[in-house]
Amino acid sequence: MFFVVFFVSSDIHSRVNDEAILTEDFPIKLSDYRFFENLTQQQPNPDVLPYNLITVLFSDYADKDRFVYVPSAKKAKYVKDSVFNFPEGTALIKTFSYTRKIHDSNIVKELIETRLLLRKIDRWETLTYVWNEEQTDAYLKVGGSTVNTHFTDSTGQIRAVRYRVPNKNQCKECHVSGDSIVPIGPKPRNLDKDFDYPEQTMNQLVKWSEMNIIDDYPQDVKAVVDFTDPSENIEARARAYLAINCGHCHSPLGSASSTGLYLNYGEKRSKQLGVLKPPVAAGRGSGGLNYSIVPGDPDASILLFRMISDDPAIMMPESGRSIIHQEAVALIHDWIEAMEGEAR
């Protein structure tokens, strides 16, 4: 009598769960996807690559850890002036967290939420997982959530924040292009920077190509600048910030297309960028001001007025923040003030 013994490799449990990405029955727990070798410490599996953007979206001063997963034997295709065209089974993963200093020595990192963009057969799907108090796992929250917490700001002060986890429809507000859900960040111009990988520091586009995540990218990428870098041109800094924070909605295919105010990176027409452009609809959102941008006069510019506000009926962006982004306000103020042209 012969016995056939089947051995199952133990490393199967360290591989990404491709079925979980493609299923229409959304997993309840983040751990079900197996994106991480150590979930709590956000240590990814070998096939999941961390990345960062040159200029990032502001979310109430939350820290963000980004990761990309593309199934084996598949590659994302380069698309000019757009995000890569990722294949079926791709996952874009972003974890939001806050850090606090305790007694000037211990650093406590609190994981708040992990957002997923999953490439299904015929579409992208947005899902949000909220971390439990024990920080052992995150759980699906289709309806969003509110987390009251604290963080240590750049001056060392402890600040309270009422952090809002978006519901499914709010995710769509930013990630819509025409009738489709799309990623925002992973464009070549946003990725063309060095990243400190565990084994070495190297350019992200080179790394993505080396790992066969992408098929190609232009060697003459014109990267955006880091808006926080004071050595860079103020125009380039302001446009980079507005593009990543506002341009996905304020674009011809975005959810704010009807406003005619286009802040996407490729826009070059001054009026569409807001210069001496009257609002489509006056009201509280305009603050009684006449133009989105008045060259040389930040205080007369609706764009800055809405960035300074924390009133939900006035502030921009409408979702994703409850705190004023002071550094960005200062940048846009100085950018408008430096513009040539008479104030009106």
Side-chain angles (χ1 to χ4, degrees):
M1 182 177 295
F2 293 92
F3 295 93
V4 179
V5 180
F6 293 93
F7 293 95
V8 179
S9 174
S10 61
D11 71 352
I12 192 171
H13 298 295
S14 67
R15 298 174 189 165
V16 170
N17 185 351
D18 292 302
E19 184 179 345
I21 295 174
L22 294 173
T23 183
E24 296 300 328
D25 297 321
F26 306 130
I28 299 300
K29 298 186 298 182
L30 181 62
S31 57
D32 292 336
Y33 294 93
R34 300 199 297 268
F35 292 135
F36 300 94
E37 287 187 339
N38 187 313
L39 186 63
T40 301
Q41 295 182 17
Q42 293 287 281
Q43 294 177 356
N45 279 327
D47 292 334
V48 178
L49 189 68
Y51 73 95
N52 205 347
L53 304 179
I54 297 172
T55 281
V56 300
L57 182 75
F58 176 74
S59 303
D60 280 348
Y61 290 104
D63 299 319
K64 299 172 187 176
D65 293 300
R66 296 172 175 83
F67 307 89
V68 58
Y69 168 74
V70 173
S72 176
K74 295 183 179 182
K75 294 182 181 182
K77 297 184 180 300
Y78 168 71
V79 180
K80 185 179 179 181
D81 296 327
S82 185
V83 297
F84 287 99
N85 183 9
F86 291 96
E88 173 188 325
T90 293
L92 298 174
I93 306 146
K94 183 164 60 175
T95 295
F96 296 69
S97 63
Y98 284 110
T99 56
R100 290 194 301 274
K101 278 188 176 181
I102 308 296
H103 303 306
D104 296 324
S105 57
N106 294 332
I107 303 295
V108 175
K109 182 174 182 176
E110 180 185 7
L111 305 176
I112 304 296
E113 61 161 322
T114 296
R115 299 182 193 175
L116 304 181
L117 264 175
L118 305 179
R119 187 66 172 90
K120 304 289 188 176
I121 296 174
D122 58 349
R123 71 190 191 283
W124 284 95
E125 185 72 55
T126 60
L127 297 172
T128 298
Y129 290 78
V130 176
W131 284 81
N132 59 13
E133 291 185 8
E134 296 78 18
Q135 299 280 278
T136 55
D137 212 332
Y139 294 81
L140 183 63
K141 291 286 185 181
V142 176
S145 182
T146 299
V147 180
N148 293 301
T149 188
H150 298 76
F151 68 96
T152 303
D153 68 14
S154 59
T155 69
Q157 299 298 309
I158 301 292
R159 297 181 61 178
V161 58
R162 189 170 183 267
Y163 183 91
R164 296 183 180 92
V165 177
N167 62 43
K168 199 168 183 60
N169 288 331
Q170 289 171 322
C171 289
K172 292 178 181 178
E173 288 174 8
C174 291
H175 285 278
V176 68
S177 179
D179 296 324
S180 302
I181 301 298
V182 296
I184 296 171
K187 304 177 178 73
R189 65 170 177 260
N190 295 334
L191 294 167
D192 190 19
K193 63 174 289 188
D194 285 350
F195 189 94
D196 294 328
Y197 300 100
E199 62 279 5
Q200 67 180 127
T201 298
M202 65 187 301
N203 180 277
Q204 292 185 123
L205 291 173
V206 174
K207 182 70 170 180
W208 284 36
S209 182
E210 183 182 274
M211 288 190 63
N212 293 317
I213 291 174
I214 55 177
D215 65 343
D216 194 16
Y217 65 93
Q219 299 300 308
D220 58 346
V221 173
K222 186 176 180 181
V224 301
V225 304
D226 180 350
F227 93 93
T228 67
D229 186 351
S231 69
E232 295 285 358
N233 174 274
I234 193 169
E235 169 84 9
R237 292 170 61 202
R239 289 299 307 276
Y241 179 84
L242 292 172
I244 199 68
N245 282 275
C246 315
H248 41 275
C249 290
H250 283 277
S251 68
L253 295 176
S255 58
S257 60
S258 63
T259 66
L261 177 65
Y262 300 148
L263 301 174
N264 52 298
Y265 197 69
E267 184 57 64
K268 300 186 184 304
R269 297 168 294 177
S270 61
K271 187 172 184 180
Q272 275 62 44
L273 284 168
V275 177
L276 298 180
K277 179 191 177 304
V280 170
R284 289 187 62 202
S286 70
L289 305 175
N290 296 319
Y291 302 106
S292 294
I293 294 176
V294 180
D297 194 349
D299 294 334
S301 301
I302 297 171
L303 179 66
L304 189 66
F305 168 73
R306 302 194 77 168
M307 287 180 64
I308 290 172
S309 177
D310 58 6
D311 183 334
I314 297 173
M315 69 182 191
M316 281 288 171
E318 292 177 318
S319 58
R321 78 166 179 93
S322 60
I323 297 174
I324 298 168
H325 192 184
Q326 298 293 351
E327 295 82 358
V329 165
L331 169 65
I332 300 303
H333 177 280
D334 293 348
W335 174 56
I336 295 174
E337 190 172 57
M339 284 183 179
E340 296 181 359
E342 293 185 5
R344 298 189 180 187

